[in-house]
Amino acid sequence: MTYASSARQPEPEPRPTWRRGAERSSGGPESSAVNGAVNDSNVVPIAAAHTARQGASRHADTSPPSPEASAKGKKSTPTTGKMRADALRLLGCVRIATVRQMAEVITAEESGGRSYVRRAMKELAELGLAETNGKVGKEQIWNLTPAGQKALAEGNEMPRRPKAGTEAEAVRAGFGPHAVAVTEMILAYTDTVLSQDRECLTDWQVEVNHAIRETGLSFSTDAVLAVPTKSSEVRLFDFDNGSMSQARLAKEVWYYERYAGHRVWEGARGTNGSTYPFWQRHRYTRSERFPLLYVVLAGKEEHLLDNRRQALTADVRGITVAVWLNTLPRLQRGEPWYEIGVDDPDRRRRRYPEPAGR
């Protein structure tokens, strides 16, 4: 069961052949780039070289690239030094990953590739740039140290993100499996939707705070993808690993409508002034529409995830922000998304009160 609406549909680039109210192609809606942020957010402006990229043009040498193909048509394994650098960049983006996940990105080999990555991670640990603080199953969870973050920033390989944590405490506290699953979602989306465009990996940020001080609203988005189009800057990703109640999951999705509905008044004292959406004025300033929200479900058997998907569809019926829903197994297989919410700024404006002037 999917949410159908007569409201205007998103116009991604290029526009896919989707039907309203039905499953959506895994190509997803429009993408975007994180612009400046305010009000206790850990998002920082992306460098011009990153945000200016559109269409087929890409900013080279900023992310873990796919290994180059050899003359025999097989991909070669990067050198140890390059592998260390690629692993450092990948952890700078997703913060937490296992050797298997890193090997999928920076090598072309299966079990042999993992041994190369293990060696590179051991060397990074000896240099004090990376560390492991826990496991998910039998796999060690790796993250950067503060020294590793500093080295990455000083190498000018990625935009500086001063408020980004190392996630070491989260892993030690037992939240490593969720973070590893978020990384799995990022890699699956990169493979199936972005067609293995590994250059986009540096355009991801994780645990991005969205807050409005005046209302006390504050929540974190699991991942934000910055790949700009003509009408939007970012794609927002909320991930549930089966640990939240159904009511809590629905409440988190409704937070996005509250955030999108808040408006601010601007104008000189004594004048009528005007009101503007907070997010458009202070957060995603190059977006014409509120960013599309992807919700990805995991952590349970597939039939239970399907039940959870149907329940969430019913719980957010009538929401006025664009929401697309999928499960992690379906995403990994490249299967269609479900549209469960449509962006409707006019109805959203009627739903939330106008701010008082000065």
Side-chain angles (χ1 to χ4, degrees):
M1 185 169 94
T2 57
Y3 175 70
S5 172
S6 59
R8 183 180 63 175
Q9 295 299 301
E11 296 179 359
E13 299 181 38
R15 185 182 177 89
T17 55
W18 295 318
R19 291 183 298 105
R20 181 176 298 139
E23 288 190 14
R24 296 290 178 158
S25 163
S26 60
E30 68 233 295
S31 42
S32 54
V34 179
N35 194 23
V38 295
N39 293 324
D40 302 325
S41 168
N42 63 352
V43 180
V44 299
I46 300 297
H50 291 254
T51 57
R53 183 186 64 202
Q54 293 200 21
S57 63
R58 297 289 177 190
H59 181 60
D61 299 326
T62 59
S63 60
S66 299
E68 296 179 358
S70 67
K72 295 182 180 180
K74 296 182 179 180
K75 295 179 179 179
S76 60
T77 300
T79 63
T80 303
K82 185 176 184 301
M83 190 171 295
R84 287 198 301 266
D86 286 347
L88 205 65
R89 283 194 292 265
L90 179 58
L91 287 176
C93 298
V94 301
R95 297 193 195 172
I96 286 177
T98 65
V99 164
R100 174 187 59 80
Q101 290 172 328
M102 289 186 278
E104 288 179 8
V105 176
I106 60 181
T107 76
E109 305 180 28
E110 299 299 330
S111 58
R114 297 184 194 181
S115 65
Y116 291 124
V117 174
R118 287 192 187 95
R119 187 183 311 160
M121 297 312 299
K122 182 179 179 181
E123 293 172 356
L124 287 173
E126 290 172 351
L127 293 170
L129 303 178
E131 62 184 359
T132 179
N133 290 283
K135 292 184 177 181
V136 54
K138 295 182 179 180
E139 296 184 274
Q140 288 184 315
I141 302 172
W142 288 89
N143 61 269
L144 295 183
T145 63
Q149 289 182 316
K150 183 179 179 181
L152 192 62
E154 290 178 348
N156 201 29
E157 288 289 334
M158 290 175 54
R160 293 179 181 270
R161 297 169 184 172
K163 293 186 179 181
T166 65
E167 302 300 315
E169 291 185 3
V171 175
R172 288 193 289 266
F175 298 114
H178 179 272
V180 168
V182 170
T183 300
E184 198 73 17
M185 175 193 70
I186 290 173
L187 297 182
Y189 189 86
T190 302
D191 283 341
T192 61
V193 178
L194 303 180
S195 302
Q196 297 183 341
D197 184 359
R198 299 298 188 182
E199 290 184 5
C200 285
L201 283 172
T202 51
D203 294 322
W204 288 89
Q205 294 187 49
V206 295
E207 290 299 319
V208 177
N209 180 250
H210 289 82
I212 303 176
R213 287 178 178 174
E214 302 94 63
T215 65
L217 178 66
S218 179
F219 61 96
S220 291
T221 301
D222 288 302
V224 174
L225 173 61
V227 183
T229 66
K230 291 182 180 179
S231 60
S232 184
E233 292 184 41
V234 299
R235 299 174 181 180
L236 308 176
F237 290 78
D238 208 83
F239 182 82
D240 172 52
N241 202 30
S243 58
M244 285 189 287
S245 68
Q246 185 64 45
R248 176 64 186 177
L249 177 60
K251 185 177 181 180
E252 286 206 356
V253 175
W254 281 102
Y255 282 159
Y256 289 90
E257 187 193 75
R258 288 178 56 193
Y259 187 85
H262 184 69
R263 299 178 68 85
V264 291
W265 186 90
E266 293 185 5
R269 189 177 299 275
T271 66
N272 291 332
S274 300
T275 62
Y276 301 90
F278 170 87
W279 64 268
Q280 195 171 45
R281 209 62 167 176
H282 297 294
R283 191 60 180 266
Y284 303 118
T285 59
R286 292 189 300 276
S287 293
E288 295 178 5
R289 306 181 195 137
F290 185 73
L292 191 148
L293 171 65
Y294 290 85
V295 179
V296 179
L297 308 177
K300 297 181 180 292
E301 296 180 9
E302 284 205 56
H303 72 282
L304 297 177
L305 292 179
D306 192 58
N307 293 340
R308 200 166 175 83
R309 172 185 62 80
Q310 295 183 52
L312 182 61
T313 299
D315 288 343
V316 302
R317 184 177 298 279
I319 198 168
T320 60
V321 294
V323 184
W324 290 18
L325 176 64
N326 213 340
T327 68
L328 183 58
R330 286 173 55 89
L331 175 60
Q332 291 171 324
R333 295 192 296 263
E335 295 182 18
W337 291 78
Y338 295 89
E339 181 189 48
I340 64 172
V342 176
D343 186 55
D344 192 338
D346 293 332
R347 190 157 55 94
R348 187 166 64 235
R349 186 168 183 176
R350 293 193 297 269
R351 182 170 290 179
Y352 293 89
E354 289 286 312
R358 297 176 191 174

